[in-house]
Amino acid sequence: MARQTGIIKLKGTIGDISFYKSSDGHLARIKGGPDANRIANDPAFQRTRENGSEFGRAGKGGKVIRNAIRVLLQNAKDKKVVSRLTKTLVAITKTDPVNERGARTIQDGDMGLLSNFEFNTNGKLGATLFAPFDVAFDRVTGDASLSLAPFAPTIRIAAPAGATHFKIVTGAAELDFPNEGSVFESDETAILPYDAADTAAIDLTVTVTPNSVLPVIQVVGVEFYQEVNGQMYPLKNGAYNALMVATVDTV
DNA sequence: TACTTTCAACTATCCACAGA
DNA sequence: TCTGTGGATAGTTGAAAGTA
């Protein structure tokens, strides 16, 4: 049994050697574990395969969502949004009361858990936009709307340093998880000055399939800009832009 | 008993390396 | 020294075998 006696304790795996801390001290040994073939075929790993199946479904579901809102997500995301979204979708999958273990789905689970999901932890909408806003989705017409009464930007929006302008965006996505497809439309305000003067009332509407029977989510976001010599530049490549799930509507 | 590894899906980011 | 390429990694869940 190999032991680590140096000052620097390692944790993790380098090559075929694993380093970890146990009650016997810091150890180093050849990595082990069951092989891929066993996990794929051995009846003892049935539970493991069921987990893998549901986890895989959540991962694919995350891709459907990210692909759907890609045009907005590109401007407001952090490095770990994929894993955070997967985590949420796994939790949703577990709330599915219909299907048996290993076959549970996102759309049969409680998709409400996706409400208020923030796509950028570096710029959360909940900590950025303090102007009250209303969202509404009409399943018959397929219209998703966002409205804000006039507000003073410097009071109602916590903008990162350097921002001179901003934009409010929204989008609706109709999600078809089994077929890995989606319908998406987005709308946005003009680029507005970040100052103390009240904005005009904001009303944005986007439309997805009327009378849809699929789950629909609506996202709301804020994007920041910096004006330099009359040109608008995205502030720090959108590091502080916010995007959040505002509505989750299922049949 | 405590701990690791493995698998499932996905992708931005990081790193090493080769070649110019 | 710089650039492009390709592979590894992180991060998420849960189950069980294997080892000291």
Side-chain angles (χ1 to χ4, degrees):
Chain A
M1 191 63 221
R3 290 174 188 281
Q4 297 174 252
T5 59
I7 295 170
I8 301 171
K9 313 303 183 202
L10 300 175
K11 187 177 188 305
T13 303
I14 300 176
D16 288 335
I17 301 179
S18 297
F19 301 88
Y20 64 95
K21 181 181 185 299
S22 78
S23 55
D24 293 331
H26 293 268
L27 307 177
R29 70 172 194 215
I30 296 290
K31 66 180 181 182
D35 65 43
N37 187 51
R38 275 198 73 191
I39 289 180
N41 299 300
D42 192 327
F45 284 87
Q46 178 60 29
R47 295 284 93 76
T48 303
R49 288 194 293 275
E50 288 167 2
N51 285 335
S53 172
E54 291 187 346
F55 185 82
R57 203 171 287 119
K60 279 191 176 178
K63 187 182 185 184
V64 171
I65 293 175
R66 281 179 285 110
N67 277 349
I69 65 168
R70 181 172 295 269
V71 294
L72 295 181
L73 185 60
Q74 278 188 328
N75 297 327
K77 63 179 176 181
D78 61 78
K79 295 175 184 175
K80 295 179 181 173
V81 67
V82 177
S83 51
R84 284 190 299 110
L85 186 56
T86 305
K87 179 184 181 180
T88 301
L89 294 176
V90 166
I92 290 172
T93 301
K94 286 183 191 167
T95 64
D96 175 354
V98 182
N99 301 293
E100 61 187 19
R101 200 180 193 292
R104 292 178 292 186
T105 68
I106 298 167
Q107 64 271 20
D108 288 321
D110 177 12
M111 285 192 62
L113 296 177
L114 205 52
S115 287
N116 299 322
F117 182 88
E118 296 275 5
F119 291 93
N120 185 3
T121 53
N122 302 314
K124 294 182 178 178
L125 190 75
T128 301
L129 179 63
F130 295 99
F133 61 86
D134 287 316
V135 287
F137 175 64
D138 185 331
R139 190 164 277 280
V140 175
T141 60
D143 287 344
S145 62
L146 166 68
S147 59
L148 294 93
F151 64 94
T154 51
I155 294 173
R156 297 293 188 171
I157 293 180
T164 62
H165 291 72
F166 70 99
K167 187 193 268 187
I168 303 285
V169 302
T170 190
E174 178 190 15
L175 304 166
D176 185 349
F177 293 111
N179 297 309
E180 297 180 28
S182 60
V183 173
F184 176 77
E185 188 179 311
S186 67
D187 196 8
E188 61 193 32
T189 63
I191 294 179
L192 306 171
Y194 182 66
D195 58 22
D198 273 2
T199 63
I202 294 172
D203 284 292
L204 300 175
T205 301
V206 295
T207 305
V208 294
T209 312
N211 295 309
S212 170
V213 295
L214 297 171
V216 171
I217 64 170
Q218 183 181 2
V219 295
V220 173
V222 180
E223 299 178 4
F224 293 103
Y225 295 85
Q226 184 170 56
E227 182 180 27
V228 177
N229 293 332
Q231 283 267 25
M232 291 295 177
Y233 295 90
L235 186 69
K236 295 187 177 176
N237 293 316
Y240 302 108
N241 290 344
L243 188 66
M244 185 187 82
V245 175
T247 309
V248 178
D249 193 277
T250 55
V251 180

